[in-house]
Amino acid sequence: MMTDEQYMEQALREAEKAYEAGEVPVGAIVVINGKIISRGYNQVEQLNDPTAHAEIIALTSAFNYLGAKYIPEATVYVTVEPCLMCTGALYWSKVGRIVWGADDEKNGHARITKDNWPFHPKATVQKGVLAEKCAALMKAFFREKRG
Amino acid sequence: MMTDEQYMEQALREAEKAYEAGEVPVGAIVVINGKIISRGYNQVEQLNDPTAHAEIIALTSAFNYLGAKYIPEATVYVTVEPCLMCTGALYWSKVGRIVWGADDEKNGHARITKDNWPFHPKATVQKGVLAEKCAALMKAFFREKRG
C-alpha cells in the first residue's frame, strides 16, 4: 500500500504528460484496493473538447475497465482541486474518497459551491497533498504561456 | 427561426428516446443561428457511464461537428435543469444561452450552487420552457420504475 504522497506522485506524472503536450498540467489516477486502475491527464487541446479534464478521462477509463458506473470503493487522486464539472462527475460516480494537491481559486469548485457539500454524501476529501509541487507545475505552465 | 417552445419540443423528442431506452428521460439540443447542430439524450445506462448526460453528449457532438471547443454563439435547450457536472461543462464551453424546462430539486445544480452564478459570466439563462411537459415525462419514468 502506498501513501497518499506516493499516489499523488503518480498523478503528477500524468500532469507532466499534459505539460509536455502543451495542456494545462493536471493529472489524475483512480485507485481501488491500493491498485491504480486508471490514469488521465488534461487533453482539452488535443481532443478539442473542453470537458476532457484529467478526472473525466481517468473516470471514464475506470468505468470501462471495471464495467461499473459507481465506484464508491475508489480514491481519486488529482493534482489540482476539481472544477465544478469534475466535482459533479465524482458525485455521479459515487467516488468514496477524493484527494487533491493544489487548490484552484479561479476554477476550483469551491469558488461556486462555497460551503455546500458537492460530492457524494458518503465521500471524504483530503486536500493539500504535495500541494506545492502540484501548484509549481501549474505556475510554470502559465508563466511559460504568458512568455 | 423557431420559438424557444419549438426548440424545447425538439429536446423533448430526445428525452423521449431516453425514456424508451429505460433511461432517466432528459434530452438536449445545441442550436446556433437557428440551426440545430447536435442532439443528445441521457445514456448513462446504455453506455455504463454516469457522465453520459444529455447535455454532455450534445455538447461533445457539437465540438466534433464544429471543430470548436468554445461555442458562445450557441443556445443549449435541455428538458431538465442541468446538474452540477453539466453546468460545469456549459461553463467550460462558454455556451451563451441555456434554456431548460423543468427544475430538478434533487439533482439540479441550484441545490449546490445556490445564488452563485455557475455558468459563463456572459451566459444567460431561461428556465421554465414547457416545464410541465418536461416534468411530466420525468414523473412518468420514476412512477413506472417504482412500479
Side-chain angles (χ1 to χ4, degrees):
Chain A
M1 205 73 163
M2 301 202 288
T3 64
D4 279 346
E5 286 73 15
Q6 286 170 316
Y7 285 119
M8 191 60 80
E9 287 285 2
Q10 294 295 313
L12 265 164
R13 278 201 197 177
E14 295 303 307
E16 282 158 11
K17 290 181 197 166
Y19 184 92
E20 281 156 27
E23 302 272 1
V24 176
V26 183
I29 61 169
V30 177
V31 174
I32 295 182
N33 291 331
K35 193 183 160 205
I36 298 172
I37 60 153
S38 65
R39 298 167 174 271
Y41 60 92
N42 180 30
Q43 290 192 279
V44 163
E45 303 298 332
Q46 285 159 284
L47 299 179
N48 194 44
D49 180 349
T51 72
H53 285 195
E55 301 95 310
I56 301 286
I57 288 167
L59 284 171
T60 50
S61 174
F63 306 143
N64 283 335
Y65 175 72
L66 298 167
K69 64 179 181 295
Y70 302 132
I71 47 173
E73 69 279 30
T75 299
V76 170
Y77 292 83
V78 54
T79 57
V80 178
E81 178 189 347
C83 74
L84 207 63
M85 176 182 71
C86 292
T87 296
L90 290 162
Y91 165 83
W92 286 115
S93 49
K94 304 187 183 181
V95 167
R97 185 163 181 256
I98 300 110
V99 181
W100 75 76
D103 284 346
D104 183 348
E105 278 183 29
K106 189 170 175 237
N107 288 312
H109 67 87
R111 185 178 65 86
I112 305 286
T113 60
K114 309 277 182 192
D115 294 330
N116 303 312
W117 186 252
F119 300 103
H120 193 268
K122 288 182 185 166
T124 60
V125 158
Q126 171 71 54
K127 53 191 219 170
V129 174
L130 302 187
E132 283 179 35
K133 214 164 168 178
C134 294
L137 194 61
M138 291 285 274
K139 277 176 203 151
F141 174 82
F142 287 109
R143 194 165 49 225
E144 206 167 277
K145 211 184 166 193
R146 273 183 224 107
Chain B
M1 206 74 163
M2 300 200 289
T3 63
D4 279 346
E5 286 72 17
Q6 286 171 316
Y7 285 118
M8 192 59 80
E9 287 284 2
Q10 295 294 314
L12 266 164
R13 278 200 198 178
E14 296 303 307
E16 282 157 12
K17 289 181 198 166
Y19 184 92
E20 281 156 28
E23 301 272 2
V24 176
V26 183
I29 61 170
V30 177
V31 174
I32 295 182
N33 292 330
K35 193 183 159 203
I36 298 171
I37 60 154
S38 66
R39 299 167 174 272
Y41 60 91
N42 180 31
Q43 290 191 277
V44 163
E45 302 298 333
Q46 285 159 285
L47 299 179
N48 195 44
D49 180 348
T51 73
H53 285 194
E55 301 94 310
I56 302 286
I57 289 167
L59 283 172
T60 51
S61 174
F63 306 143
N64 283 335
Y65 175 73
L66 298 166
K69 63 179 180 297
Y70 303 132
I71 47 173
E73 70 278 31
T75 299
V76 169
Y77 292 84
V78 54
T79 57
V80 178
E81 178 189 348
C83 74
L84 207 63
M85 176 182 71
C86 292
T87 295
L90 290 162
Y91 166 84
W92 285 113
S93 49
K94 304 188 184 182
V95 166
R97 185 162 181 257
I98 300 109
V99 181
W100 75 77
D103 284 346
D104 182 348
E105 278 183 31
K106 188 168 175 239
N107 287 312
H109 67 88
R111 185 178 64 86
I112 304 287
T113 60
K114 310 276 183 190
D115 293 330
N116 303 312
W117 186 251
F119 300 103
H120 193 268
K122 289 183 185 166
T124 60
V125 159
Q126 171 71 54
K127 52 191 220 172
V129 174
L130 301 188
E132 284 179 35
K133 214 163 167 178
C134 295
L137 195 60
M138 291 285 274
K139 276 175 205 153
F141 175 82
F142 287 109
R143 193 166 48 225
E144 205 168 278
K145 210 183 167 195
R146 272 183 226 108

